[in-house]
Amino acid sequence: MSIAVGDRIPSVTLHVMGAEGPVEMSTDELCAGKKVVLFAVPGAFTPGCSATHVPGFVVNADKIKAAGVDTIACVSVNDAFVMGAWGTQQNADELVMLADGNGEFTRALGLELDATGFGLGMRSKRYSMIIDDGVVSVLNVEPDGAGIDVSTAEGILEALG
């Protein structure tokens, strides 16, 4: 069963790339007392994620933050080295690039995507959400194989209204 509006974000340790290597960041640390926009992509450096999904949040970061959001974070079932390099390549300075290397967070949310048919293993579905002090207030999950429609930065801006 997947996470739903009104549910609390599970307490899981993720990683971000620090100056000297990967650094742990808990979802509690990420979300406690904050309004967070979190979006997930199936894979760093993949075409749709790199050409459309992340750039939308990079371009709209100022507008999203002006709507009262403290943190914008991107999560993927990749390691911190990959997420750090991808964030640099995407000029994603305003985004927290979260690595869910073992897929623990993705499984805890119930938002796994079986991409073994493409040689990618288990990944995350594409989604976006708004989290208020650790509780999901908006959740937009893309149907499997549907592309990028409901989970866009523009959709988040509309939800922030």
Side-chain angles (χ1 to χ4, degrees), residues 8-161:
R8 181 161 288 285
I9 291 292
S11 183
V12 176
T13 299
L14 300 166
H15 292 87
V16 295
M17 196 61 195
E20 297 183 23
V23 177
E24 290 184 351
M25 177 180 278
S26 72
T27 53
D28 298 330
E29 177 186 351
L30 177 71
C31 299
K34 300 174 193 165
K35 180 174 270 212
V36 177
V37 165
L38 176 71
F39 69 102
V41 297
F45 292 103
T46 57
C49 305
S50 292
T52 304
H53 211 184
V54 170
F57 283 93
V58 169
V59 168
N60 287 293
D62 289 343
K63 291 178 189 172
I64 292 169
K65 288 188 173 183
V69 171
D70 299 298
T71 304
I72 304 167
C74 173
V75 65
S76 184
V77 180
N78 286 110
D79 63 68
F81 295 97
V82 168
M83 292 301 287
W86 191 40
T88 299
Q89 187 261 344
Q90 289 285 313
N91 297 311
D93 299 332
E94 295 296 316
L95 278 56
V96 177
M97 301 301 282
L98 297 168
D100 183 20
N102 295 324
E104 293 169 11
F105 180 62
T106 299
R107 274 191 303 283
L109 293 177
L111 293 172
E112 308 99 313
L113 172 68
D114 182 355
T116 55
F118 303 104
L120 298 173
M122 294 303 287
R123 297 294 179 114
S124 175
K125 290 186 178 195
R126 187 182 303 280
Y127 65 84
S128 64
M129 63 173 71
I130 299 173
I131 306 163
D132 291 297
D133 193 22
V135 177
V136 178
S137 60
V138 172
L139 177 62
N140 305 308
V141 180
E142 299 287 355
D144 290 351
I148 307 164
D149 183 34
V150 300
S151 65
T152 63
E154 294 79 10
I156 285 293
L157 278 168
E158 187 175 314
L160 289 166

